[in-house]
Amino acid sequence: MVSPWRAGFLDGLRPEEPLTVSEWSDRYRKLSSKASAEPGPWRTSRTPYLKEPMDCLSSTSSVQRVVMMFAAQTGKTEAGSNFLGYTIAHAPGPLLAVQPTVEMAKRLSKQRLESLINETPCLSEKIAPARSRDSGNTMFSKEYPGGILLLTGANSATGLRSAPCRYLFLDEIDAFPSDVDGEGDPVALAERRTTTFARRKILLTSTPTVKDFSRIETEYERSDQRRFYVPCPCCGEMQWLQWSRLKWEDGRPETAKYECEKCGERFEEVHKPRMLSAGEWRATAPSDGKTAGFHLSGLYSPLGWCSWEQLVDDFLRAKGDGPALKAFVNTRLAETWEEDYAAAVNADGLMAKRLAYEPGTCPDGVVLLTAGVDVQDNRLAVTVWGWGEGETGWMVWHQELMGDPTQVEVWKQLDQVLATGWATAGGKELKIAQMACDTGGHCTHETYNFVRERVRQGVVAIKGSSRRNSPAVGKGSKVDVNWRGKVLKKGVVLYQLGTDTIKTTLFGRLRHNEGSGSLNFGMAADAEYFKQLTSERQALRYHRGFPIREWVKKAGDRNEALDCAVYAYAALLIYSRRMNQATMWEQLRQQLEEVEKKTPLRSKKQPPAAAPGFVHNW
């Protein structure tokens, strides 16, 4: 009888079976109903595009780093789970798995790892149940013969530098913080744990985010940049699937077909299983032999998952909404989002799309008016915006009120703007419901005085925040104090604005200026107005090695029109806080319909552009 000590010694001398990750997965992996929509034995044939990325993680492969820039729900995280299972069962060693946060690491442990271990007998044999005493199986640590699996979050510097590891799994790296506890990039910190291992394996996965900021795109561009080529069912030409070649008719997603880049024939999604099984990865860039990069969009999603019809439907829903379109590009197409909106928005293009409504009039759809006031040393720049369903905006009036803001005369002109009734398309009139006045200039005291006496008329004080990524509008804080230093109950409330945040929103809507949320301009906007509106662009600079985007004004240009638009939009957000968001626009529409004309339009005050004291210096 062979003693257990001798058996264990001989077992340690036995060489590894030449098994790849995909072969191990097909032989041993079981999917649980808790973590998969298709429970049962793992089949690599269901997602043929995962075979090569997984096999690059095998102990027999010379590849050290695998980069997967994949669309959401294409199987990249399951490929990571297979990598973990293969390592524990077949090629044991110290293993570190990193999620964006510690909380997400806890979720991975509960939802995926527990299922992976419990449903796969060859793993449950190696890892004792968590309830066993001294089992070595905890939420963030799983011990097994020959190694240990540690889980942590990218927001924990302690977890990232905890121990050396041969294997490393970094999931959703674009959601990692740029700096963790002042110790630097979490990806770099984690990779340093592997430097002493010659046969290390590193897996980096993520859907991409913003261009120049996306970690996964940067890693992919440093790799051999592989794309999955599939044959055309009509002519057999090998090609990688691109969104621009998916065609449909008249806004009908159910008509979606793919157009071959060679023969031009269009084919339906029913051919996808045969195409995927015959597909192959091809490198499109030189390689150092150590890093393999894979890019895959949602167009490759197997039948029964995300269909071409669903992709088109998602696109049509997101088309007119910048943030929704960004999510579509990132998660469905696995491409980075270009946030330099200003590069695609120019004065001439906006000028050519003006609508035929006159200055000082509200087009059909306007149910609310707000105004933004930019205080300069010798004038007040004012823009009145009309708003409708879905924050669709119409620029109603823009003017410069000339005068020294330290004197009362120019503020009297602003009072005229506040008191003006603006004609609507239905023959009624609207008054400005909320006016936001900038206090960040040289006339802060005078601006406070104006706001303090007109709070009941909807006038508020605002100031741009110097902090990056600030919320569009802060909660507001009282700034007025009496001679004893106590805050006045009815004093001025100052709202801090995330001006960069609002500019990104506005330029995103100008770039995709269709449907709900669009921004429209009439005859009140001239060439000078559009020049000022587009006077800023996003520039990239680096701080401590990390890229930072910031809005920069073009040299020599004025930007009052842009600032006024930012303040008017902030006024809309402030006003909306007092409303029920779900029914706000319906309430405003009903209020406008109930308004009765008190006097005929011909006897009403003329639009401010023609009123005495209003001067346009262009």
Side-chain angles (χ1 to χ4, degrees), residues 436-441 444 448 460-479 492-502 566-567 569-571 573-574 577:
C437 297
D438 178 35
T439 64
T444 303
Y448 281 169
V460 294
I462 53 94
K463 183 179 180 180
S465 172
S466 59
R467 296 179 59 186
R468 293 188 303 273
N469 301 321
S470 297
V473 180
K475 65 178 182 179
S477 58
K478 292 184 178 181
V479 294
V492 174
V493 175
L494 179 66
Y495 293 89
Q496 294 280 349
L497 304 187
T499 53
D500 285 2
T501 303
I502 295 178
V566 169
Y567 304 155
Y569 182 70
L573 298 180
I574 293 170
R577 291 180 174 181

Side-chain angles (χ1 to χ4, degrees), residues 96 98 100 102 152-163 177 179-186 189-190 192-193:
L96 176 63
V98 184
V102 173
T152 188
N155 59 344
S156 171
T158 303
L160 293 176
R161 63 170 186 263
S162 58
D179 182 69
V180 52
D181 298 340
E183 297 190 24
D185 179 28
L189 284 176
R192 287 182 199 141
R193 304 299 96 206

